[in-house]
Amino acid sequence: MTKLEESSEISFQTNSQIESFATQENTLRTEVDKALRRYFVHLEDEPVTDLHHMVMSEVEAPLLQAVMRYSGNNQSKASTMLGLNRGTLRTKLKQYGLL
């Protein structure tokens, strides 16, 4: 079965089946997939715009918080962990009100 076929097969599952699937393989990818499926179910016929920006801003802020906490608020260590230069990290921390 191809990835596309697997994806299509999963898209027809109910929310309870999705919840069960997510608990079996609790990865970041499955959690994002589960959240997006819930989002699309609740949309009904509303138009979707700028989904990429919305998802990235929802994920990026907690990512930065977690890395800063893990690094003991050491921006140099955090920037290395994230693969960002320190200036970019500071800009993002300011953007999300974390600095």
Side-chain angles (χ1 to χ4, degrees), residues 1-97:
M1 182 178 298
T2 68
K3 292 282 186 189
L4 180 59
E5 289 169 331
E6 289 173 3
S7 176
S8 296
E9 182 178 291
I10 291 171
S11 68
F12 291 106
Q13 295 178 341
T14 66
N15 283 340
S16 62
Q17 290 171 317
I18 292 167
E19 293 288 334
S20 174
F21 173 76
T23 57
Q24 292 171 9
E25 186 181 337
N26 192 13
T27 65
L28 184 57
R29 178 181 293 266
T30 59
E31 293 302 314
V32 169
D33 184 59
K34 184 172 69 173
L36 285 169
R37 288 172 190 275
R38 281 193 310 264
Y39 176 77
F40 291 134
V41 165
H42 293 293
L43 271 179
E44 296 176 0
D45 291 330
E46 292 294 319
V48 179
T49 59
D50 213 8
L51 183 61
H52 180 265
H53 181 268
M54 183 196 75
V55 170
M56 296 312 293
S57 63
E58 287 289 320
V59 172
E60 193 170 40
L63 170 64
L64 295 173
Q65 286 176 313
V67 171
M68 290 303 293
R69 194 171 38 248
Y70 181 82
S71 69
N73 289 319
N74 182 320
Q75 292 178 15
S76 294
K77 185 175 178 181
S79 66
T80 299
M81 289 176 68
L82 291 164
L84 301 172
N85 78 39
R86 193 167 163 275
T88 301
L89 174 60
R90 287 184 58 78
T91 299
K92 289 181 177 290
L93 292 172
K94 287 177 187 175
Q95 176 184 348
Y96 295 109

